[in-house]
Amino acid sequence: MIRPAVVLVRPENNANIGSVARVMKNTGLSDLRLVAPSDWRTIETWRTAWAAQEILEGARVFETLAEALRGSTMALALSGRDDQVVVLDVREGVRQLGTVPEGASTCLVFGPEQSGLTFEEMARCGRRASIPSHPAQPSYNLSHAVGITAYECFRLEPAPRPGHLLSYDERQKLAEEMEIGLRAVGGHSQGEGAIQPALPRLFDQPRSVGSGRALDSFRGLLHGTRGSRRRVQGVSVFEDVKKDDGGVLDLPDLKFRELIFIGALKRLDPGTDPERAEVVVDETRPMPPFREEGLFPPRSRFSVERRNGRARFTRLD
């Protein structure tokens, strides 16, 4: 199997983000990257992750796709766009990801649910694949598409790998140098950066100019040129909540992490003892149905002790 990062570009449905985390854990993946998401830290996201919440907690957010791809060697864009362009079958696309050198970073890139990736975003990835489907229902739900692609990564048999391929950053740098060189000899008159999206695959083949003496010679040529909700799935969310006569509230630790994740509780002492914390209720964030039951009044402060999979809340004010 291979373990690429999963990049979701402008995801629109929070339930899908949680479901993607779940299927990533099913298939041994753990690196989730979100590009320009909306307000994704919600209960809906958390609960659809279903035992994969640590993937959400470790997810990284980026402003642009270029930032999310930084440091990667190869990226595969998944798209169902029917524009008469020849694309790879998803199985072949994953197989090509498996040809990068051992330890190199790769990415699976998925676009927003309604519109998908733009042409520029697909070009930036360099490779594009589609998932076969019945013509009566050609499009897949985002989490299903991630699940199918991740499963192909999980089942991929090991194959011989080259010693070195250029990373995404190195290819971008070469593209910049090529732009400067072409502009110096008058062979490129488009706007700055126009050539870069068209070149991501130029140096990602094992026999290309992507390594060693050939790469040095190519760079020399360029430089020379330049020189010139209450119930979830039928189970009450309060069934495992306890409150004793002294007002101490006892929750499963997973529920405590959920409330921290969505921002309904904010730690006043981040980075301190993981088993003890002081938290305050943020009344601007949703906390259904706990607030309705009077368990967490607005702006209230609590001391929290975590032990044996439970979190005990003692009110401080």
Side-chain angles (χ1 to χ4, degrees):
M1 66 174 295
I2 57 173
R3 294 182 173 86
V6 174
V7 182
L8 305 184
V9 180
R10 299 183 302 282
E12 300 164 340
N13 186 305
N14 289 339
N16 276 336
I17 298 176
S19 296
V20 165
R22 177 178 181 176
V23 80
M24 286 176 64
K25 190 169 183 179
N26 288 144
T27 51
L29 306 183
S30 58
D31 186 353
L32 177 60
R33 306 177 189 181
L34 306 177
V35 177
S38 57
D39 185 7
W40 65 286
R41 291 183 174 271
T42 67
I43 290 177
E44 185 180 32
T45 309
W46 180 268
R47 291 183 179 165
T48 52
W50 193 256
Q53 283 87 358
E54 69 272 13
I55 292 178
L56 295 179
E57 292 172 345
R60 291 179 286 169
V61 176
F62 301 88
E63 292 186 4
T64 67
L65 177 58
E67 293 173 355
L69 294 179
R70 190 164 293 151
S72 64
T73 297
M74 191 178 295
L76 179 66
L78 276 295
S79 174
R81 191 187 296 272
D82 183 12
D83 51 12
Q84 307 303 313
V85 175
V86 178
V87 299
L88 300 171
D89 176 85
V90 62
R91 184 165 296 175
E92 172 60 19
V94 167
R95 187 199 66 77
Q96 292 191 17
L97 288 186
T99 65
V100 303
E102 195 72 37
S105 172
T106 58
C107 296
L108 300 171
V109 183
F110 300 83
E113 291 89 330
Q114 294 297 319
S115 58
L117 295 167
T118 66
F119 290 111
E120 181 180 358
E121 288 165 341
M122 288 186 284
R124 185 173 292 278
C125 293
R127 281 172 167 76
R128 175 177 164 187
S130 65
I131 302 172
S133 61
H134 194 281
Q137 178 61 290
S139 64
Y140 285 91
N141 173 272
L142 174 60
S143 64
H144 295 173
V146 175
I148 293 170
T149 312
Y151 180 74
E152 293 293 339
C153 296
F154 182 70
R155 293 297 300 270
L156 185 67
E157 295 291 337
R161 301 189 180 195
H164 176 73
L165 288 180
L166 291 186
S167 70
Y168 174 83
D169 297 344
E170 291 171 322
R171 293 199 303 274
Q172 290 297 106
K173 180 63 176 176
L174 273 179
E176 292 172 4
E177 293 179 13
M178 181 176 287
E179 267 195 305
I180 295 172
L182 289 175
R183 191 173 291 113
V185 297
H188 180 56
S189 58
Q190 299 184 42
E192 183 177 352
I195 196 173
Q196 294 182 39
L199 295 179
R201 292 188 60 189
L202 182 59
F203 304 108
D204 65 359
Q205 301 296 335
R207 293 188 178 89
S208 75
V209 70
S211 62
R213 189 176 303 171
L215 177 58
D216 293 337
S217 299
F218 186 76
R219 276 205 169 105
L221 175 64
L222 289 177
H223 284 292
T225 304
R226 187 167 62 227
S228 61
R229 70 210 166 201
R230 280 181 188 257
R231 294 187 72 83
V232 180
Q233 296 181 349
V235 179
S236 170
V237 297
F238 296 114
E239 287 184 0
D240 49 8
V241 174
K242 305 173 184 178
K243 190 172 185 179
D244 63 22
D245 294 337
V248 175
L249 184 65
D250 186 282
L251 299 178
D253 188 63
L254 191 65
K255 281 191 170 63
F256 169 70
R257 288 166 52 197
E258 173 188 322
L259 295 174
I260 292 292
F261 175 81
I262 66 175
L265 292 179
K266 292 188 178 298
R267 290 184 64 121
L268 298 176
D269 51 354
T272 57
D273 188 348
E275 296 183 355
R276 299 178 186 276
E278 286 191 15
V279 298
V280 63
V281 176
D282 185 347
E283 61 182 330
T284 67
R285 298 294 294 174
M287 191 190 275
F290 297 97
R291 189 170 291 152
E292 298 172 15
E293 296 292 319
L295 299 178
F296 291 98
R299 297 184 300 280
S300 54
R301 294 177 57 188
F302 294 88
S303 171
V304 184
E305 182 179 0
R306 304 168 69 187
R307 185 182 301 171
N308 300 325
R310 307 284 300 185
R312 290 174 55 84
F313 290 74
T314 302
R315 191 164 175 179
L316 299 177
D317 55 1

